[in-house]
Amino acid sequence: AAAPPLLELRGIKAAYEQVEVLHGVDLAVPAGSVLAVLGPNGAGKTTMLKVASGLHAPSGGDIWLAGRCVTGAAPVDLARLGLCSIPEGRGVFPNLTVSENLWMASYRGVSRSEIEERVFPIFPRLKERRRQAAGTMSGGEQQMLAMARAIATDPAVLLIDELSMGLAPLVVEQLFEIVARIAGTGVTVLLVEQFAQTALGVADLAAVMTGGRITAVGTPQQIASGLHSAYLGGG
Ligand code: ATP
């Protein structure tokens, strides 16, 4: 039997200025798995993650986290329940050093050294660059920093928006290897991606979002073979 969902979206609707962009999204992320949601530009993937992380209030439906209904909960409350998100565009503080960026995660009462002990073994590159201003690092390194900061909070569920954005394929591959390693420690991951290939390689489950709806869910293999018709619109 499949693991019970750790995060579940039930009938989620969301709108910007009365214009509905999510039309009833149902998605269950089983505990301990990596679920990749693929879909074209504007499908609503980012909006779905904003709703799931409490940044955008849904206009309908419910969100369940670890068996509790958390619809309407603030991001900080969801963070306390173990949900952590890495936004599109990364959200690192460019003028702070790598270490300073990591220390910002210490609000949960974890010490700075504990944070470094937790993340530097996974991200040796960040250790080397700990005194460097984050804004002067490469795009891939900044994405690593955003991931490291998320891991520092010891999350149960990690939401990742468009990990690959603006990065070279080789860098994207390395980042997804890190995702796989993080998932290997038991963290449940919901990620969204416009480009499929590498994401499907680390996913346990995949879904397709088009036009504000989940239009397919399956194994990565099933979704990969259906992508041409379901997502690219080809025949
Ligand atoms: P992308 O891969 O391009 O980021 P996406 O699948 O993440 O796309 P969303 O960013 O969720 O899609 O956008 C879904 C729809 O909502 C789009 O039509 C977009 O124009 C619209 N939208 C997103 N943010 C806003 C906003 N702040 N105000 C108004 N409309 C918005």
Side-chain angles (χ1 to χ4, degrees):
L6 192 55
L7 175 66
E8 194 174 0
L9 307 182
R10 293 188 192 162
I12 290 295
K13 296 183 177 180
Y16 296 103
E17 314 278 349
Q18 329 291 334
V19 180
E20 193 176 276
V21 298
L22 298 183
H23 310 295
V25 170
D26 294 303
L27 195 66
V29 191
S33 68
V34 177
L35 193 157
V37 178
L38 312 173
N41 242 309
K45 305 180 301 294
T46 298
T47 304
M48 176 183 71
L49 291 187
K50 281 186 187 163
V51 168
S53 57
L55 293 169
H56 187 90
S59 45
D62 279 308
I63 305 157
W64 290 76
L65 179 62
R68 299 188 202 196
C69 182
V70 294
T71 318
V76 63
D77 297 319
L78 295 172
R80 277 196 201 103
L81 292 172
L83 183 135
C84 181
S85 82
I86 304 177
E88 194 174 29
R90 298 160 197 138
V92 304
F93 295 96
N95 297 324
L96 299 184
T97 66
V98 166
S99 280
E100 285 164 348
N101 267 278
L102 291 172
W103 296 340
M104 310 233 13
S106 68
Y107 74 97
R108 283 178 110 199
V110 186
S111 75
R112 291 175 172 189
S113 57
E114 278 174 291
I115 284 175
E116 297 192 341
E117 279 161 29
R118 188 176 293 160
V119 303
F120 284 155
I122 310 173
F123 301 95
R125 180 95 63 97
L126 295 180
K127 184 176 185 184
E128 286 165 22
R129 294 174 181 271
R130 62 189 181 280
R131 294 189 192 86
Q132 185 172 336
T136 64
M137 295 200 301
S138 74
E141 288 164 350
Q142 289 187 41
Q143 186 64 275
M144 267 182 210
L145 178 56
M147 290 168 74
R149 206 171 51 184
I151 291 315
T153 68
D154 196 16
V157 184
L158 191 55
L159 310 181
I160 308 177
D161 194 356
E162 211 82 42
L163 187 71
S164 67
M165 198 175 60
L167 301 174
L170 190 64
V171 176
V172 172
E173 230 168 89
Q174 290 167 349
L175 290 170
F176 274 111
E177 275 167 28
I178 295 170
V179 171
R181 232 187 305 157
I182 291 168
T185 68
V187 179
T188 300
V189 178
L190 172 59
L191 63 89
V192 309
E193 271 295 330
Q194 199 174 330
F195 297 102
Q197 218 65 331
T198 321
L200 288 178
V202 304
D204 302 298
L205 269 176
V208 177
M209 177 175 252
T210 40
R213 288 187 175 84
I214 298 293
T215 48
V217 182
T219 64
Q221 292 84 346
Q222 286 167 336
I223 294 301
S225 61
L227 270 189
H228 203 66
S229 48
Y231 163 32
L232 299 173

